[in-house]
Amino acid sequence: MKKPELLAPAGNFDALKAAVENGADAVYLGGKEFNARRSASNFSREELKKAVEYAHLKGVKIYVTVNILIYDDEFYEAGDFINFLNSIGVDGIIVQDIGLGYFIKKYFPDLEVHASTQMTVHSLHGVKFLEKMNFDRVVLARELSLKEIKFIKENTSLKIETFVHGALCFCYSGQCLMSSFIGARSGNRGQCAQPCRLPYYLLDRWGNIISSKLHLMSTRDLNLIQRIPLLIEAGIDSFKIEGRLKRPEYVAVVTSIYRKAIDRFLQNPGKFFISEEEYKKLLQIFNRSFTTGYYFGNPGKDLMSVDCPRNKGILLGKVVGFEPENSMTKILLQEELRVGDGIDIRDDEGFGYVVTEFYVKNNKRFKAKPGEIVKIKTKGKVKEGTAVYKTSDVELLEEAKRSYEEPALSKKIPVKIKLYAKLNDRLKICIEDEDKNNIYLESDYIVKKAQKRPTSLEEIKEKLTRLGNTVFCLKEFEVDMDENILLPFSALNDLRQEAIRKLYEQRIEKYKNKRVNGDYKAFLFYFQEKNKGNEQKNKELMKITLRVDNLEGLKKGISYIDEIYFGGQNLKQTLCQLKSALNITKKEGKKFYLALPQITKQADIREISERLDESLLTKIDGVVAGNNGLLNYFIERNVNCIADFSLNIFNSVSIEVLKELGLKRVVLSPELSLRAIEKLKSDLELESIVHGYLPLIVSEHNIIKSNSGKDLNIAYLKDRLGKEFKVFVDEKNRSHIYNCYEICMINHIETLTMANIMFGQLYLVGRKPEEIEKIAKAYYLCIREKEKIPEEDIAKYYTFGHYFRGVK
């Protein structure tokens, strides 16, 4: 049975040490440049170099996250960063940006490229797309079941990586625009503000509250420790622990327990177990309650932690009284309490702090046991029955810290040492480690016959095996020596020290001989900011594409637009109406494209294959594909593809990749500003969404039914500012959450045109037919008749999106 890689996170050097010393096979971390956890401490270039050396010395791989979308004017700097990572011997780069992945494989062929979960790969066709791009590994979407993962693994040559522990995103990773459009902090650029962890009311379409103010999008934490055998048997190559924002002690505890679990199963599959103590440690170090995610089916409401978006810890006890004269709260303990522990009192206000003192029977204590009543000073009265949780355990934290700080507990590399000591020949040594690195050295010392007392075997062994202050430990020792010889201790010490130094260097340097293929700087220079993008300004009138998902809306809007994108989030409905929609469009002499959902799993692609026969494919003008699996499927069938906005196309290199694949048009990321769009260098047709309620989140979770018990397909999330976000639940029970403001660029069409936007999309999925007609007609009059139309005439609440502000 294949041993999976255990991949641990590191947000700083202590966390790296915690991961390495507690059994990680590989560590993923980010530099201070271009990574999706910009709020972590992260690593400077000098720290990255030290981190790689530290890990490689101990036989651990390093993967660096460069997993954000890259602007054109950043590409030169990003390329320089990749060259640096290549030079220091990094084992792999984790990317979201398809252009960056293409660039790395083109110019740094020895560097592994891993597709981040931000790439939203959720089908075998998506994985096959990455195979053609020469990627080495894919981190699959967390919404896949174990059955789906196993199917993909059995049908690809790529390594498969999946998350096994830690925080989950409510949205499909890479598809969330909520933080971006609410506060210009983009998850695709490493600055997610986590609006999903905030409280919301759930309203029906008439404004009635159908769920109280709760953390409706706050997921529980993933925990698969008890399912490790099933994951190993499925053949998953790498088990990933989430947590680059977590403290080093968290990394130490979680890595250690998963290391033990994996080894335990591999050593004796029939007697696999997770002890109660191990599971309790996972709960104590951090949890929002645990879930197995989507691995074993959709967990519904059990996926969520609606009552508490932060660390829950473990139940410490309950309040049994209050002494108003000294503001002392009495707590009956169910767990041990120590000074230094963190607690969280879960009353209506809710507050937490580190315990600095407490009393038992009026005696000051440092430790109390279950069953005892402790008195703790609080800022006010706490009601009887209020639950109190222990959110941190000082003893567990100290134990975790010792695991990576105490030299005696540090990870050692076993070595074999053999000494050759032959009379009248040079003294020689051979040292070999478990990875077959070996050093053979000859000393200047010529072995002499002893005149008095010969050097004993015990003395030789004692001198040569002094490895305590090094990263090595002795596994085997052998001496091939003549009798009655003299070996000065200084000669033995010098030979050992030099051999160890060279073995140290060999373990580090062997990772650094990675190729650079061609002149990558010339490639990057082409995309530098000073090139100012495509100098050829578009002089033609912008063409308008209309995206609708119903026949009545299509009929109402078709006479005002140039091309139709037909389809919404309900795949069955779209395919059922396809022929009718196609006939209506062709009678009007307009181009017709089938628009498919952002998320199309393997079962969805099978359905598309069954319903779209060859004759129908030849009648449509193409498809609008929103994920790389759909791109791969239709490119293989020679169907014209338009890359949808959900593919997050952000720069000229990514556009170039699509051009090489045969595409002729791309709908740009809605996070691009006009300034960024102007810099794009491409002869592809560029399209941008100019009007509509943009989908901010797509989730596998049915947020309406889970919180109201009702089979509704439309509801609204109301935030703390009173803003209402429409929720639509599709036929697959996925939730789609739309912006509360409508993008409306009707008075900036000329500016977009000068930025080389050739097609403006009216994204009117889910809209009423009369609304579609009104909006489409307005844009027709604006573009064709040059009429000035106030935004308020077609949008009650509107925004310019990121066109004028962009994201950092």
Side-chain angles (χ1 to χ4, degrees):
M1 202 173 299
K2 185 182 70 175
K3 181 180 180 180
E5 173 187 85
L6 179 58
L7 177 57
N12 56 42
F13 213 97
D14 277 347
L16 169 69
K17 290 166 59 181
V20 170
E21 301 301 343
N22 282 279
D25 298 302
V27 178
Y28 66 102
L29 48 81
K32 294 188 180 292
E33 308 154 77
F34 309 109
N35 90 85
R37 286 292 182 268
R38 287 163 69 180
S39 54
S41 298
N42 295 313
F43 294 74
S44 67
R45 290 198 178 193
E46 186 58 35
E47 289 169 333
L48 280 170
K49 184 178 179 182
K50 290 178 181 177
V52 171
E53 290 182 356
Y54 176 85
H56 283 169
L57 184 60
K58 301 209 171 191
V60 175
K61 292 182 177 180
I62 292 288
Y63 306 135
V64 176
T65 57
V66 192
N67 56 339
I68 64 169
L69 301 178
I70 310 292
Y71 284 115
D72 264 32
D73 57 13
E74 293 176 327
F75 230 100
Y76 195 89
E77 185 183 346
D80 177 69
F81 185 50
I82 297 299
N83 183 50
F84 166 75
L85 296 176
N86 187 66
S87 72
I88 64 173
V90 162
D91 298 280
I93 310 290
I94 305 169
V95 303
Q96 175 186 7
D97 194 297
I98 190 174
L100 184 64
Y102 166 88
F103 165 76
I104 296 170
K105 293 310 294 184
K106 183 179 177 71
Y107 292 101
F108 303 93
D110 293 338
L111 263 179
E112 281 194 10
V113 175
H114 302 178
S116 168
T117 190
Q118 291 284 114
M119 266 196 185
T120 328
V121 181
H122 54 276
S123 70
L124 177 60
H125 283 282
V127 175
K128 291 295 183 182
F129 177 84
L130 296 173
E131 280 184 13
K132 293 171 184 174
M133 294 283 294
N134 295 316
F135 276 56
D136 300 280
R137 180 185 296 198
V138 55
V139 188
L140 293 175
R142 283 174 271 205
E143 289 77 6
L144 292 179
S145 69
L146 185 59
K147 183 179 179 181
E148 290 170 317
I149 293 168
K150 189 175 181 181
F151 171 76
I152 290 172
K153 176 58 189 171
E154 290 171 348
N155 291 279
T156 182
S157 60
L158 263 61
K159 289 184 178 178
I160 298 299
E161 179 180 312
T162 64
F163 284 90
V164 296
H165 197 94
L168 291 169
C169 286
F170 178 76
C171 181
Y172 272 84
S173 293
Q175 299 303 304
C176 184
L177 296 172
M178 195 163 193
S179 175
S180 171
F181 273 79
I182 288 176
R185 292 180 60 184
S186 169
N188 289 320
R189 293 278 295 165
Q191 299 220 30
C192 179
Q194 294 193 314
C196 54
R197 298 292 182 188
L198 297 176
Y200 296 86
Y201 288 106
L202 187 64
L203 314 177
D204 64 19
R205 65 172 72 201
W206 300 281
N208 303 307
I209 295 175
I210 54 177
S211 181
S212 302
K213 187 179 180 182
L214 294 168
H215 302 273
L216 304 178
M217 293 186 285
S218 182
T219 56
R220 296 183 180 186
D221 288 345
L222 185 64
N223 180 341
L224 292 170
I225 192 68
Q226 293 171 320
R227 308 298 183 100
I228 286 296
L230 294 176
L231 273 60
I232 293 176
E233 289 167 350
I236 298 169
D237 296 284
S238 183
F239 294 174
K240 188 171 196 170
I241 298 167
E242 181 277 337
R244 283 198 288 138
L245 294 177
K246 298 288 201 313
R247 62 198 301 175
E249 293 88 345
Y250 170 89
V251 176
V253 170
V254 177
T255 303
S256 171
I257 292 171
Y258 274 84
R259 174 78 281 150
K260 291 171 185 173
I262 292 168
D263 293 346
R264 188 178 293 152
F265 175 73
L266 292 174
Q267 289 164 9
N268 195 336
K271 293 187 177 181
F272 177 80
F273 70 94
I274 298 298
S275 71
E276 184 179 338
E277 181 187 6
E278 288 169 332
Y279 198 85
K280 189 174 178 180
K281 284 182 178 180
L282 291 175
L283 281 166
Q284 181 64 84
I285 200 64
F286 194 96
N287 83 89
R288 297 183 183 94
S289 294
F290 284 138
T291 175
T292 55
Y294 294 98
Y295 276 84
F296 306 99
N298 194 320
K301 64 181 181 181
D302 291 335
L303 179 72
M304 311 307 294
S305 178
V306 296
D307 60 323
C308 181
R310 60 190 184 275
N311 179 22
K312 288 187 174 181
I314 60 176
L315 184 64
L316 175 67
K318 291 190 176 180
V319 174
V320 293
F322 181 75
E323 297 179 354
E325 64 274 11
N326 52 18
S327 195
M328 285 286 189
T329 295
K330 296 180 179 180
I331 304 168
L332 174 61
L333 297 182
Q334 295 183 27
E335 295 285 340
E336 283 190 345
L337 178 67
R338 301 174 187 82
V339 169
D341 287 347
I343 66 170
D344 190 2
I345 297 178
R346 303 270 167 86
D347 60 3
D348 293 337
E349 296 295 323
F351 62 94
Y353 57 90
V354 174
V355 175
T356 56
E357 65 177 20
F358 62 82
Y359 297 83
V360 177
K361 296 179 180 179
N362 295 322
N363 294 316
K364 195 172 183 178
R365 294 265 292 272
F366 292 94
K367 179 180 178 180
K369 296 180 180 180
E372 292 188 298
I373 294 176
V374 301
K375 293 194 293 185
I376 296 177
K377 195 174 188 67
T378 54
K379 58 185 179 182
K381 184 176 180 179
V382 183
K383 292 184 294 185
E384 282 193 34
T386 297
V388 181
Y389 288 80
K390 182 162 67 168
T391 54
S392 67
D393 184 296
V394 65
E395 192 171 81
L396 178 61
L397 294 176
E398 288 172 354
E399 176 191 339
K401 200 168 187 177
R402 286 194 299 272
S403 73
Y404 62 87
E405 285 193 343
E406 290 189 8
L409 300 176
S410 68
K411 182 178 180 179
K412 298 288 186 178
I413 307 300
V415 294
K416 301 175 184 178
I417 299 178
K418 185 170 183 178
L419 183 74
Y420 301 88
K422 295 294 184 178
L423 196 59
N424 300 321
D425 196 3
R426 290 179 183 274
L427 184 64
K428 303 167 187 174
I429 194 171
C430 179
I431 298 185
E432 182 178 305
D433 65 22
E434 60 184 357
D435 299 317
K436 304 301 180 185
N437 298 299
N438 65 80
I439 298 296
Y440 178 80
L441 278 182
E442 294 186 358
S443 170
D444 290 336
Y445 177 74
I446 306 298
V447 179
K448 300 175 183 177
K449 190 171 184 177
Q451 298 300 316
K452 296 181 180 178
R453 187 177 70 84
T455 308
S456 70
L457 178 61
E458 291 74 18
E459 288 173 319
I460 294 171
K461 184 175 182 180
E462 192 274 331
K463 297 300 178 187
L464 287 182
T465 59
R466 287 183 176 179
L467 304 174
N469 293 327
T470 73
V471 74
F472 303 106
C473 64
L474 184 67
K475 181 181 180 182
E476 293 180 22
F477 179 73
E478 185 180 348
V479 175
D480 184 359
M481 60 183 287
D482 290 337
E483 295 181 355
N484 298 317
I485 57 173
L486 176 65
L487 299 179
F489 293 163
S490 60
L492 291 170
N493 286 333
D494 290 346
L495 191 60
R496 182 199 73 238
Q497 290 171 1
E498 181 65 9
I500 290 296
R501 185 184 68 80
K502 286 187 174 295
L503 183 60
Y504 183 107
E505 290 176 352
Q506 187 178 109
R507 288 184 65 84
I508 294 172
E509 294 298 321
K510 73 174 186 178
Y511 292 92
K512 294 183 179 180
N513 298 318
K514 290 183 168 66
R515 292 173 292 162
V516 179
N517 182 23
D519 187 359
Y520 74 90
K521 289 187 177 181
F523 176 85
L524 294 173
F525 186 77
Y526 180 74
F527 296 106
Q528 278 192 94
E529 180 180 3
K530 68 179 185 179
N531 285 309
K532 295 299 180 187
N534 192 340
E535 294 178 4
Q536 179 62 44
K537 297 299 181 183
N538 182 19
K539 300 297 193 296
E540 298 179 6
L541 291 176
M542 179 185 286
K543 294 180 179 179
I544 292 296
T545 61
L546 171 62
R547 185 163 182 165
V548 291
D549 60 348
N550 64 81
L551 295 176
E552 289 305 310
L554 171 61
K555 292 174 185 175
K556 289 287 188 180
I558 194 166
S559 60
Y560 302 108
I561 55 85
D562 297 285
E563 298 180 359
I564 286 290
Y565 294 170
F566 185 78
Q569 301 298 349
N570 282 335
L571 179 61
K572 283 186 172 65
Q573 176 185 312
T574 297
L575 294 176
C576 285
Q577 296 181 344
L578 177 57
K579 288 182 181 179
S580 298
L582 178 60
N583 290 335
I584 294 168
T585 305
K586 289 304 178 182
K587 282 180 182 178
E588 292 288 328
K590 305 291 176 74
K591 285 189 175 181
F592 179 92
Y593 293 86
L594 171 62
L596 293 163
Q598 287 169 263
I599 304 301
T600 46
K601 289 190 173 184
Q602 205 63 36
D604 300 317
I605 295 179
R606 280 196 298 271
E607 187 172 354
I608 291 168
S609 179
E610 291 168 2
R611 298 292 297 273
L612 280 180
D613 56 37
E614 290 299 321
S615 63
L616 195 53
L617 283 175
T618 58
K619 292 176 183 177
I620 65 175
D621 293 285
V623 298
V624 183
N627 60 68
N628 42 34
L630 286 175
L631 273 185
N632 183 72
Y633 177 82
F634 285 107
I635 287 171
E636 285 184 345
R637 284 153 183 79
N638 297 312
V639 176
N640 180 30
C641 286
I642 296 172
D644 207 356
F645 73 92
S646 51
L647 277 160
N648 294 319
I649 302 304
F650 215 70
N651 54 61
S652 302
V653 185
S654 296
I655 295 172
E656 187 68 20
V657 172
L658 297 178
K659 180 183 175 183
E660 289 191 10
L661 292 170
L663 274 68
K664 296 181 174 60
R665 187 184 306 175
V666 55
V667 185
L668 297 172
S669 164
E671 294 189 286
L672 283 172
S673 67
L674 272 167
R675 179 177 175 272
I677 292 170
E678 286 173 349
K679 294 176 182 176
L680 296 174
K681 298 178 71 69
S682 172
D683 51 10
L684 261 63
E685 297 171 345
L686 301 183
E687 180 172 343
S688 194
I689 295 173
V690 298
H691 198 100
Y693 289 104
L694 203 66
L696 303 183
I697 279 179
V698 52
S699 173
E700 200 71 13
H701 178 72
N702 185 336
I703 193 171
I704 301 176
K705 187 168 185 178
S706 290
N707 292 286
S708 71
K710 299 179 180 181
D711 283 313
L712 304 174
N713 68 341
I714 292 177
Y716 292 85
L717 289 173
K718 186 175 181 179
D719 71 7
R720 65 195 190 285
L721 301 177
K723 306 295 184 188
E724 294 182 10
F725 300 82
K726 180 180 176 181
V727 181
F728 171 71
V729 174
D730 67 22
E731 64 194 14
K732 302 286 185 181
N733 280 313
R734 295 183 187 122
S735 297
H736 304 264
I737 301 174
Y738 294 83
N739 198 7
C740 57
Y741 293 108
E742 190 170 9
I743 289 176
C744 182
M745 293 293 288
I746 195 163
N747 289 310
H748 301 281
I749 295 299
E750 187 175 344
T751 306
L752 286 164
T753 304
M754 292 301 290
N756 293 307
I757 297 297
M758 299 174 65
F759 291 83
Q761 182 181 144
L762 308 180
Y763 186 93
L764 303 182
V765 170
R767 304 295 288 271
K768 295 176 181 177
E770 56 270 24
E771 290 179 320
I772 293 170
E773 181 179 30
K774 183 178 181 179
I775 294 167
K777 183 178 181 180
Y779 275 86
Y780 174 85
L781 293 173
C782 171
I783 295 170
R784 302 293 178 182
E785 306 296 334
K786 304 297 182 183
E787 288 192 20
K788 178 77 172 177
I789 297 174
E791 286 90 352
E792 294 82 0
D793 285 2
I794 56 172
K796 185 177 180 181
Y797 303 108
Y798 67 90
T799 175
F800 300 135
H802 285 297
Y803 286 111
F804 300 111
R805 66 175 182 175
V807 292
K808 293 181 181 179

